[in-house]
């Protein structure tokens, strides 16, 4: 039964001390998703820090350094499930200097929960994280106005924050934005409906997450199958039989579909599809499968099987919204390894078109040096063609990372425009 539950990935974002880790701790604690040994560990840690009650934030602040410093410095992932749905939570840092960590956690999320301290309203980090969510095409934003207990559960304060946020978010591309007044510390409207906020008639946070429609978030139209590896068998019944294995990036593949292999543009038909040796007639993203074709075709890792009547672009030149992730700044005209689906090529950042001022969302064309956390639009040229879609159309075939060829460290992540 558990395997049949739909998985929802969400991320918490907001400023330092807005209560992100406490909110997750409250979700886990009130939904009874804490194991006994975890509970004892957090109780002991809370006592060592001179806290008599359980510090809910310690359920997610898993790194020892974070506990000692009282901040979340890395992305902490937690898994839990309810009778209705499975969840993976990414708890990301609120500090400006750790924006790159927030981007890492948000890259696969269905939902972003933006926390706002009811006392301070919409602040710079609220806008920064909401803008990044829009860039990453996260389809749903839940704005949780936290610490309502510190403003006497005021409906006027809540409504004022909604107005301020809506004035800003009209510039974003996210259409599904919801607002929930909560107190993570006291548990108001997190798992259980709050008696202190009787004027709020909508569902609490957990129910909202359990019932949110996310099926349409996945691309079921554009069939893309990046080949990861070849499976070759030789026996009496299958002489030199080849299957192409990998994970479907998007769309649906069926037996007898006419397909094209890119970049060679050779066409064939799907002969069989199997999952762990079991033959099926239809497969969809994100299933890991093996496909055999009616024709013997030499296909290498990094090439892509697509439907003939719906093909992505094949190009050496791409424009990318790039977030620079590394402490070292970008080196002009240096060669990096670009990783795109299962394909790796050498690439050069040919031009920085503009940098985005994350405070004002304005574009600047003067300063083109890329430093950590910079978000920029760049032109990249690769040694061999990539098989691409725009990120808005397809998150998998529309995203890339850049890797330093000497240190093998990831230096940037990007979304193809």
């Amino acid at each position: 039964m558990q395997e049949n539950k739909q998985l929802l990935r969400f991320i918490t974002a907001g400023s330092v001390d807005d209560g992100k880790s406490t909110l997750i701790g409250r979700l886990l604690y009130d939904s009874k998703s804490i194991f006994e040994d975890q509970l004892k560990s957090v109780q002991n840690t809370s006592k060592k820090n001179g806290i008599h009650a359980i510090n809910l934030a310690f359920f997610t602040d898993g790194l020892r350094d974070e506990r000692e410093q009282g901040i979340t410095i890395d992305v902490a992932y937690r898994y839990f499930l309810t009778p209705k749905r499975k969840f993976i939570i990414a708890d990301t840092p609120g500090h400006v200097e750790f924006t790159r960590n927030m981007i890492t956690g948000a890259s696969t999320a269905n939902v972003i929960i933006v926390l706002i301290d009811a006392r301070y309203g919409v602040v710079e980090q609220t806008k920064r994280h909401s803008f990044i969510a829009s860039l990453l095409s996260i389809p749903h934003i839940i704005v949780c106005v936290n610490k309502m207990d510190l403003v006497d559960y005021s409906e006027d304060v809540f409504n004022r924050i909604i107005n301020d946020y809506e004035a800003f978010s009209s510039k974003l591309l996210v259409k599904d934005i919801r607002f929930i007044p909560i107190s993570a510390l006291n548990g108001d409207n997190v798992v259980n409906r709050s008696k202190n906020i009787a004027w709020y008639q909508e569902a609490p946070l957990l129910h909202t997450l359990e019932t949110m429609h996310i099926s349409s978030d996945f691309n079921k139209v554009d069939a893309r199958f990046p080949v990861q590896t070849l499976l070759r068998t030789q026996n009496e019944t299958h002489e030199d039989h080849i299957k192409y294995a990998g994970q479907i990036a998007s769309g649906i593949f069926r037996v007898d579909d006419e397909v094209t292999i890119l970049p060679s543009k050779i066409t064939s038909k799907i002969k069989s599809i199997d999952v762990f040796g079991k033959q099926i007639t239809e497969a969809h993203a994100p299933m890991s499968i093996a496909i055999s074709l009616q024709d013997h075709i030499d296909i290498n890792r990094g090439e892509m099987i697509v439907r003939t009547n719906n093909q992505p672009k094949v190009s050496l030149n791409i424009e990318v919204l790039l977030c620079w992730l590394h402490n070292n700044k970008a080196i002009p005209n240096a060669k990096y390894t670009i990783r795109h689906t299962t394909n790796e090529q050498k690439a050069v950042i040919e031009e920085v078109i503009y940098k985005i001022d994350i405070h004002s969302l304005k574009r600047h064309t003067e300063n083109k040096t890329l430093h950590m956390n910079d978000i920029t639009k760049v032109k990249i040229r690769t040694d061999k063609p990539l098989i691409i879609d725009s990120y808005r159309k397809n998150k998998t075939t529309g995203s890339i990372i850049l890797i330093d060829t000497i240190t093998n460290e990831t230096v940037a992540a990007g979304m193809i425009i």
Side-chain angles (χ1 to χ4, degrees), residues 127-144:
K127 296 178 180 179
R128 175 180 287 109
H129 287 165
S130 299
F131 174 64
I132 291 171
S134 176
L135 277 183
L136 293 173
S137 298
I138 297 177
H140 313 281
I141 292 179
I142 300 176
V143 179
C144 282

Side-chain angles (χ1 to χ4, degrees), residues 74-114:
D74 204 345
V75 182
Y77 292 94
R78 288 294 181 272
Y79 171 86
F80 77 107
L81 76 160
T82 69
K84 295 180 179 176
R85 188 168 264 177
K86 296 183 287 189
F87 297 96
I88 293 178
I89 315 167
D91 178 30
T92 60
H95 293 69
V96 175
E97 58 266 37
F98 297 128
T99 298
R100 58 179 176 166
N101 303 62
M102 182 266 172
I103 291 174
T104 302
S107 59
T108 58
N110 303 98
V111 181
I112 180 170
I113 297 175
V114 177

Side-chain angles (χ1 to χ4, degrees), residues 225-291:
F225 182 67
V227 174
Q228 184 173 351
T229 189
L230 270 62
L231 306 175
R232 189 185 297 268
T233 57
Q234 286 183 317
N235 53 45
E236 293 180 354
T237 55
H238 295 97
E239 186 177 348
D240 200 18
H241 183 65
I242 297 175
K243 292 181 180 180
Y244 311 98
Q247 184 178 34
I248 300 175
S250 61
I252 301 170
F253 288 92
R254 298 182 179 89
V255 172
D256 291 331
D257 276 352
E258 182 176 312
V259 292
T260 295
I261 292 83
L262 295 177
S264 65
K265 296 185 178 181
I266 298 172
T267 59
S268 183
K269 280 192 172 183
I270 294 178
K271 182 179 180 182
S272 68
I273 303 173
D274 63 71
V275 180
F276 300 114
K278 180 182 177 182
Q279 295 229 342
I280 57 177
T281 57
E282 177 181 305
H284 57 81
M287 292 173 66
S288 294
I289 61 170
I291 284 179

Side-chain angles (χ1 to χ4, degrees), residues 123-272:
V123 296
E124 183 182 307
Q125 277 293 70
T126 311
K127 296 178 180 179
R128 175 180 287 109
H129 287 165
S130 299
F131 174 64
I132 291 171
S134 176
L135 277 183
L136 293 173
S137 298
I138 297 177
H140 313 281
I141 292 179
I142 300 176
V143 179
C144 282
V145 181
N146 192 24
K147 305 188 182 182
M148 288 296 295
D149 53 309
L150 299 183
V151 294
D152 297 326
Y153 298 103
S154 167
E155 185 176 7
D156 288 341
V157 169
F158 181 66
N159 288 335
R160 187 165 64 244
I161 290 172
I162 289 178
N163 290 336
D164 290 345
Y165 189 89
E166 287 183 335
F168 158 75
S169 64
S170 61
K171 305 170 190 171
L172 306 179
L173 297 175
V174 183
K175 301 303 179 190
D176 181 18
I177 301 176
R178 312 176 192 206
F179 299 87
I180 303 177
I182 67 168
S183 168
L185 186 64
N186 296 333
D188 294 295
N189 280 341
V190 178
V191 171
N192 303 307
R193 185 180 292 279
S194 170
K195 294 178 182 177
N196 297 312
I197 315 178
W199 47 262
Y200 175 77
Q201 298 297 312
E202 304 297 325
L205 176 62
L206 181 60
H207 184 77
T208 304
L209 292 170
E210 284 180 319
T211 56
M212 182 171 277
H213 179 70
I214 59 170
S215 296
S216 57
D217 296 351
F218 302 101
N219 184 331
K220 297 177 182 175
V221 177
D222 306 300
R224 308 284 188 257
F225 182 67
V227 174
Q228 184 173 351
T229 189
L230 270 62
L231 306 175
R232 189 185 297 268
T233 57
Q234 286 183 317
N235 53 45
E236 293 180 354
T237 55
H238 295 97
E239 186 177 348
D240 200 18
H241 183 65
I242 297 175
K243 292 181 180 180
Y244 311 98
Q247 184 178 34
I248 300 175
S250 61
I252 301 170
F253 288 92
R254 298 182 179 89
V255 172
D256 291 331
D257 276 352
E258 182 176 312
V259 292
T260 295
I261 292 83
L262 295 177
S264 65
K265 296 185 178 181
I266 298 172
T267 59
S268 183
K269 280 192 172 183
I270 294 178
K271 182 179 180 182
S272 68

